[in-house]
Amino acid sequence: MRISGYWLASGVLGMTASLLRRVARNGADAVVTKSIGLTPRKGHDGPVLTVSHGGLLNAVGLTNPGIDAFVDELSDLATIGVPVVLSIFGNSLDEIAKVASKAAEVRPSAIELNLSCPHAEISQISHDPQLTYRYVKTVKDLVSCPVFAKLTPNASDIVSVGASAERAGADAVVAINTVRAMRIDIHQRRPVLGNRFGGLSGPPIFPIAVRCVYDLYQALSIPVIGVGGVSTWEDAVEMHLAGASAIQIGTGVLWGMDVFKRVREGVEAYLREAGFSELSEIIGLAARS
Ligand SMILES: Cc1cc2nc3c(=O)[nH]c(=O)nc-3n(C[C@H](O)[C@H](O)[C@H](O)COP(=O)(O)O)c2cc1C
């Protein structure tokens, strides 16, 4: 699939075929599903979501119906109208292999490996270059569609993790997943979320995402898919300048599903006014200067 445009990020509205179709009709160039594992999973006890500093703090805990039920839900991908990227996770190499083989049966446009949810057991994978290598290689050896590795900003060295994913054959890296964070209720004097800590998303993490995209773009040869805090065309331009070929938007859909269209039109107007003829002319421009 072409790695360009403005996509729905994983976990946000990506649970059912009808929601994905709605997002596509509202202008997303591609959609990424909620991350799916081998078996049904309830997730964490509530509260699982709170607002914070203009963003969201969630500890949903990878709630999902399991790959068998999900494959039925997505049996006819063509009805969604845009490329569908299936996000998967697994707690072991054996598990990720089983999920990937089943996911490939519905012929998704690509598979995105969630190696990086900060409030579930899998959180450690993309902290470790060797583990990341093994997960990516296992899936690459099994499926014929493109494979993307989704990375965490919580790793001490995101570039070496990204380089490992590239060596293992990843077709792109996706940066970033949510940032490990917590809030405390000052009246009850205890953590707000049932799980105590969770992942921060939306505008507060935007500069962290830009830094990660910039560093990865400079070090890797595969495309970088930027995600984290984008909600305006100005954010999107900045992320393209840092090196993002495509951009995913998650929390930004809270302020209207027309976000994909608004961002695309704003970026196009920016390119015209600044005298560029193609988006590719600005991708990574700030990282090359
Ligand atoms: C409620 C919620 C659920 C999420 N679930 C997933 C998930 O299942 N898999 C995943 O890879 N990322 C998940 N994410 C992370 C997003 O895909 C994205 O990486 C992150 O929110 C940063 O982008 P944003 O600021 O545009 O939301 C979730 C985010 C939110 C807010």
Side-chain angles (χ1 to χ4, degrees):
M1 71 178 285
R2 258 189 91 215
I3 299 181
S4 68
Y6 306 98
W7 309 358
L8 175 73
S10 176
V12 190
L13 304 177
M15 267 301 212
T16 64
S18 64
L19 263 173
L20 292 172
R21 211 174 292 127
R22 218 174 111 204
V23 177
R25 273 205 298 266
N26 274 277
D29 294 300
V31 291
V32 186
T33 70
K34 170 89 190 146
S35 295
I36 305 298
L38 190 57
T39 50
R41 191 179 151 111
K42 180 172 150 284
H44 294 310
D45 289 337
V48 295
L49 192 68
T50 184
V51 290
S52 183
H53 297 75
L56 288 179
L57 180 60
N58 94 83
V60 173
L62 293 176
T63 306
N64 79 95
I67 190 71
D68 288 327
F70 202 63
V71 160
D72 286 345
E73 173 70 31
L74 290 189
S75 55
D76 193 1
L77 288 186
T79 66
I80 311 262
V82 295
V84 177
V85 178
L86 221 158
S87 171
I88 60 169
F89 69 93
N91 288 326
S92 64
L93 292 177
D94 184 47
E95 207 174 291
I96 200 81
K98 287 190 178 124
V99 184
S101 312
K102 290 192 175 180
E105 281 170 21
V106 289
R107 299 183 174 279
S109 305
I111 287 179
E112 183 174 288
L113 298 181
N114 180 356
L115 306 172
S116 51
C117 178
H119 47 84
E121 301 82 343
I122 58 160
S123 69
Q124 290 310 308
I125 300 170
S126 71
H127 284 249
D128 181 338
Q130 273 156 17
L131 264 182
T132 298
Y133 180 91
R134 296 219 288 271
Y135 272 76
V136 174
K137 181 89 171 57
T138 298
V139 176
K140 270 304 282 186
D141 287 348
L142 269 172
V143 303
S144 53
C145 65
V147 174
F148 308 150
K150 187 163 179 184
L151 307 181
T152 178
N154 306 314
S156 54
D157 183 2
I158 193 171
V159 169
S160 53
V161 179
S164 261
E166 180 175 64
R167 271 197 305 280
D171 297 276
V173 288
V174 183
I176 55 175
N177 210 316
T178 53
V179 179
R180 194 171 150 95
M182 83 184 291
R183 294 300 311 275
I184 290 170
D185 182 321
I186 60 165
H187 302 295
Q188 298 194 55
R189 291 181 275 278
R190 64 177 195 214
V192 172
L193 295 175
N195 185 55
R196 301 193 311 280
F197 58 85
L200 186 64
S201 63
I205 69 167
F206 178 68
I208 301 172
V210 170
R211 182 265 299 173
C212 292
V213 169
Y214 184 91
D215 284 350
L216 289 163
Y217 178 83
Q218 284 192 314
L220 307 187
S221 314
I222 53 176
V224 181
I225 301 169
V227 51
V230 174
S231 61
T232 65
W233 67 263
E234 289 94 333
D235 297 337
V237 168
E238 192 173 331
M239 206 170 248
H240 285 310
L241 289 168
S245 297
I247 290 175
Q248 298 180 0
I249 299 173
T251 305
V253 299
L254 278 185
W255 298 287
M257 235 197 264
D258 62 340
V259 62
F260 305 100
K261 193 164 164 279
R262 271 193 287 114
V263 166
R264 183 183 314 104
E265 287 174 359
V267 172
E268 281 166 6
Y270 168 89
L271 292 176
R272 265 195 315 276
E273 277 159 34
F276 294 104
S277 46
E278 280 189 38
L279 178 67
S280 60
E281 292 170 35
I282 69 159
I283 292 172
L285 201 54
R288 283 183 246 132
S289 62

